[in-house]
């Protein structure tokens, strides 16, 4: 009781962490050295965190099956340039629809993303199409007001993003995140070329095409109780569009 335990900085966490951030917290660790006569104890928190992560991974793998619905954080993934994504209405690399507190962290997309609606889709409810193309996510939103804010942190899109309709009336949103609502995008970047030049401005009878390096369109802050923020982000990719380019 009341013994002091020394944990080297290299054994504090799985990743490099400032030990000061743990002050006042109760943590679990493994005793790796004990000198009773001198009252010296050395601990290892890093190995405990590795064990906990491995146990969670094993538990998740047991539950995985085709069609299973899971919740969690997508992180530390890279989609390389040998991949590509194409769809007729909504298309994104890591997620089609991020909502209700969804989280992406430390993810990089190098693949091309293309929204290519067909002029043969006449007669259906989606003939006047609302297209979302995102190098990272097609769209973020909330299913209802006052839900948890979505998070996109330290992510980057290097792939091209293109909305390329033939002759279809559409309202389109192209960028790293096609349509942004109820999301905090921080420390993220787009370096890929974004093109929305061929789109026809006829979404609900208005000039409804929006093209941006980081986001295609942002819903007004606090609309329906949600909030959208872009903090510490940068775009270096070329952006071209038919109207509403930023």
């Amino acid at each position: 009781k009341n013994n002091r335990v020394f944990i080297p900085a290299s054994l504090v966490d799985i990743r490099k962490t400032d030990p000061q951030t743990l002050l006042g917290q109760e943590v679990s660790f493994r005793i790796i050295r004990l000198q009773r006569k001198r009252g010296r104890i050395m601990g290892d928190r890093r190995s405990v965190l590795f064990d906990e992560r491995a146990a969670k991974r094993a538990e998740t793998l047991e539950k995985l099956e085709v069609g299973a619905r899971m919740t969690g954080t997508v992180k530390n993934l890279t989609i390389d340039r040998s991949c590509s994504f194409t769809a007729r209405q909504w298309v994104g690399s890591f997620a089609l629809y991020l909502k209700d507190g969804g989280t992406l962290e430390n993810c990089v997309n190098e693949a091309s993303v293309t929204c290519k609606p067909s002029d043969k889709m006449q007669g259906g409810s989606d003939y006047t199409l609302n297209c979302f193309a995102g190098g990272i996510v097609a769209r973020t939103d909330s299913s209802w007001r006052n839900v948890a804010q979505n998070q996109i942190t330290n992510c980057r899109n290097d792939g091209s993003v293109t909305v390329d309709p033939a002759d279809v009336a559409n309202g389109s949103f192209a960028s790293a995140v096609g349509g942004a609502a109820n999301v905090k995008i921080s420390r993220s970047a787009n370096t890929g070329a974004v093109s929305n030049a061929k789109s026809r401005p006829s979404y609900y009878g208005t000039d409804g095409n929006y093209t941006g390096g980081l986001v295609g369109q942002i819903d007004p802050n606090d609309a329906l109780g949600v909030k959208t923020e872009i903090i510490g982000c940068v775009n270096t990719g070329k952006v071209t569009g038919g109207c509403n380019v930023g």
Side-chain angles (χ1 to χ4, degrees):
K1 185 177 181 180
N2 297 325
N3 290 317
R4 292 194 174 193
V5 178
F6 169 65
I7 301 179
S10 61
L11 300 179
V12 167
D13 208 322
I14 295 174
R15 297 184 181 84
K16 186 176 180 180
T17 301
D18 182 359
Q20 296 291 325
T21 61
L22 298 175
L23 286 176
Q25 297 186 35
E26 184 174 315
V27 300
S28 297
F29 58 89
R30 180 176 284 113
I31 296 176
I32 58 175
R33 184 176 297 175
L34 175 62
Q35 295 178 328
R36 294 183 185 277
K37 292 183 179 181
R38 297 185 177 183
R40 295 179 179 176
I41 305 172
M42 181 180 290
D44 178 1
R45 178 172 177 262
R46 188 170 185 263
S47 64
V48 173
L49 295 177
F50 269 121
D51 290 346
E52 291 176 350
R53 188 170 72 173
K56 290 180 180 179
R57 183 176 185 275
E59 181 182 355
T60 299
L61 289 174
E62 287 183 3
K63 296 178 181 178
L64 284 180
E65 59 181 24
V66 176
R69 183 172 181 176
M70 310 295 292
T71 59
T73 300
V74 178
K75 61 193 302 183
N76 306 326
L77 292 178
T78 296
I79 300 175
D80 67 36
R81 64 187 70 255
S82 65
C83 302
S84 62
F85 300 87
T86 302
R88 71 179 190 178
Q89 192 164 0
W90 290 16
V91 57
S93 60
F94 289 104
L96 188 68
Y97 200 8
L98 194 70
K99 69 175 186 176
D100 298 349
T103 303
L104 287 174
E105 182 179 326
N106 302 327
C107 293
V108 177
N109 174 57
E110 300 174 351
S112 62
V113 174
T114 305
C115 181
K116 197 173 181 65
S118 170
D119 57 1
K120 298 179 181 179
M121 297 166 65
Q122 300 182 31
S125 60
D126 58 355
Y127 176 51
T128 298
L129 296 173
N130 195 357
C131 303
F132 292 90
I136 297 173
V137 179
R139 189 179 180 188
T140 69
D141 210 343
S142 60
S143 60
W144 193 239
R145 65 184 65 193
N146 297 322
V147 299
Q149 189 182 41
N150 304 296
Q151 303 284 329
I152 298 176
T153 306
N154 197 30
C155 293
R156 189 177 77 247
N157 174 63
D158 296 332
S160 62
V161 180
T162 306
V163 177
D164 186 22
D167 192 24
V168 177
N170 72 92
S172 53
F173 307 83
S175 61
V177 179
N182 193 40
V183 62
K184 180 179 180 179
I185 306 173
S186 58
R187 303 193 309 277
S188 297
N190 175 67
T191 66
V194 182
S195 175
N196 196 10
K198 295 183 180 179
S199 298
R200 285 173 49 189
S202 50
Y203 174 51
Y204 293 141
T206 65
D207 285 348
N209 299 321
Y210 299 86
T211 312
L214 293 169
V215 297
Q217 182 192 45
I218 298 178
D219 280 358
N221 279 355
D222 302 321
L224 297 178
V226 303
K227 186 176 183 180
T228 299
E229 303 172 276
I230 301 177
I231 301 173
C233 297
V234 63
N235 171 64
T236 60
K238 182 179 179 180
V239 179
T240 56
C243 57
N244 302 320
V245 178

